[in-house]
Amino acid sequence: MQLTPDQIAQYDRDGYLHFPEFFSKEEVEAMRREVSRVSRIESEMVVREGSQEIPKIMFRMHESDGETASPVFHAAVRLPRTLGMAQQLLRDKDLYLHHTKVNIKAAIEGSIWPWHQDYGSWHLDGIERPTMLTMMVGLDASREVNGCLYFIPGTHVIGRVDPYFDTSTAYKVWSLTPADMKRIITEYGEPVAITGKPGSLTVFDCNLVHASGHNLSSHDRWQAYFCYNTVANRPRDVEKPRPDYVRSRNWKPLETVADNAITQAAMAPA
Ligand code: SIN
Ligand code: MN
């Protein structure tokens, strides 16, 4: 899939693009089956919250090895539609994944992600330049009541704003201070809710300011995130690096697979 010059101009202006119907029903079902399977695995890559100990985050399903490996997600991050679009937006053929995760925001108990820029953490991982983006995949309908993401369009151009480590949340995040957020919203405008159907995809710049609220609904909200970086921009050594599942050491350029690889992987014997 090739983005048009108008779509690239929109991405450069707003810091994101939203595709309401990106994955087929069969592809979404295949990914959902894998999320259910991996959610039962006991691993440090499956971070849980709430009284039911439902996973909040499941990392590293895109690799071919490791406890959470999933052939379906291995395919999903390498499609001409996904990897090809990332190559076009990052203007580089050689990309790898800094990490991938599936966030299950559990019904009633699934909690907030405070205002942040993803590059706030990734810079601390030793990554020098913000040539990074995330693809967010809707595996459920995302709505305001179930904790969809909010973006502040155009804020990617600000560059990295010094974050603070917010320890008040279930999963601790390098976040933007309330003072910075009030200033940013006054300057760039009100947050926009990124709602959509299962199968939607939203691609966004690593400096775009975003957050999400609590899930007040009676249904879980499942979303996958694929975070691409250029191989040329792989992290330098840092003291106490985060584990491989959040700060990948697999810097081999990703190879594109066939566009029907998700359904093929789902049909292959385990
Ligand atoms: C994130 O911003 O990294 C995740 C937010 C969410 O899943 O609600
Ligand atoms: Mn984020």
Side-chain angles (χ1 to χ4, degrees):
M1 154 174 181
Q2 279 292 308
L3 296 173
T4 64
D6 278 356
Q7 286 173 313
I8 293 179
Q10 190 182 337
Y11 181 82
D12 288 341
R13 184 193 67 215
D14 297 340
Y16 72 98
L17 288 172
H18 179 72
F19 301 88
E21 290 175 6
F22 196 85
F23 292 102
S24 69
K25 206 163 168 290
E26 292 70 34
E27 290 173 328
V28 172
E29 277 315 309
M31 288 188 268
R32 288 185 58 90
R33 278 196 300 275
E34 283 295 87
V35 172
S36 294
R37 178 181 67 78
V38 172
S39 71
R40 294 190 286 272
I41 294 172
E42 284 302 325
S43 163
E44 63 171 330
M45 291 181 268
V46 181
V47 180
R48 298 174 190 275
E49 77 170 326
S51 61
Q52 312 291 308
E53 290 269 293
I54 291 174
K56 181 176 176 72
I57 317 175
M58 296 156 49
F59 286 107
R60 208 177 180 276
M61 289 175 67
H62 67 285
E63 291 286 15
S64 52
D65 63 342
E67 292 161 311
T68 55
S70 158
V72 163
F73 278 89
H74 183 274
V77 301
R78 291 169 170 82
L79 303 178
R81 267 174 288 163
T82 51
L83 177 57
M85 191 200 298
Q87 288 167 329
Q88 201 183 351
L89 287 172
L90 295 176
R91 290 137 173 121
D92 196 324
K93 169 172 85 22
D94 290 343
L95 305 186
Y96 76 98
L97 285 152
H98 186 54
H99 62 242
T100 65
K101 62 187 181 187
V102 172
N103 285 0
I104 295 187
K105 194 172 279 195
I108 307 295
E109 294 184 88
S111 59
I112 76 152
W113 289 74
W115 287 113
H116 66 281
Q117 297 169 302
D118 290 334
Y119 189 58
S121 317
W122 299 345
H123 177 73
L124 297 169
D125 282 333
I127 297 180
E128 300 283 1
R129 281 171 285 123
T131 53
M132 301 179 77
L133 58 77
T134 295
M135 291 188 180
M136 171 172 86
V137 179
L139 299 175
D140 270 310
S142 54
R143 297 176 294 140
E144 297 207 45
V145 72
N146 72 2
C148 71
L149 261 71
Y150 290 86
F151 288 166
I152 309 202
T155 45
H156 60 305
V157 301
I158 305 172
R160 192 182 70 92
V161 178
D162 259 339
Y164 78 105
F165 197 54
D166 185 350
T167 55
S168 70
T169 50
Y171 184 75
K172 297 169 187 39
V173 181
W174 286 92
S175 305
L176 297 182
T177 64
D180 279 333
M181 278 318 301
K182 286 175 197 163
R183 181 178 52 77
I184 288 169
I185 293 176
T186 306
E187 194 171 333
Y188 286 85
E190 289 300 315
V192 171
I194 309 300
T195 57
K197 291 189 293 193
S200 69
L201 180 135
T202 311
V203 55
F204 60 100
D205 185 276
C206 65
N207 269 327
L208 189 74
V209 174
H210 62 282
S212 69
H214 201 92
N215 184 354
L216 298 173
S217 81
S218 59
H219 296 284
D220 295 349
R221 186 228 65 183
W222 294 8
Q223 286 183 176
Y225 299 81
F226 309 153
C227 307
Y228 295 90
N229 188 16
T230 64
V231 172
N233 192 38
R234 64 183 177 274
R236 62 175 162 70
D237 288 346
V238 287
E239 244 179 75
K240 298 206 190 116
R242 296 199 291 169
D244 167 77
Y245 59 85
V246 263
R247 179 186 174 277
S248 177
R249 277 68 153 168
N250 182 1
W251 301 312
K252 210 165 138 277
L254 293 162
E255 282 174 28
T256 311
V257 296
D259 212 50
N260 65 353
I262 294 182
T263 46
Q264 292 297 313
M267 281 183 326

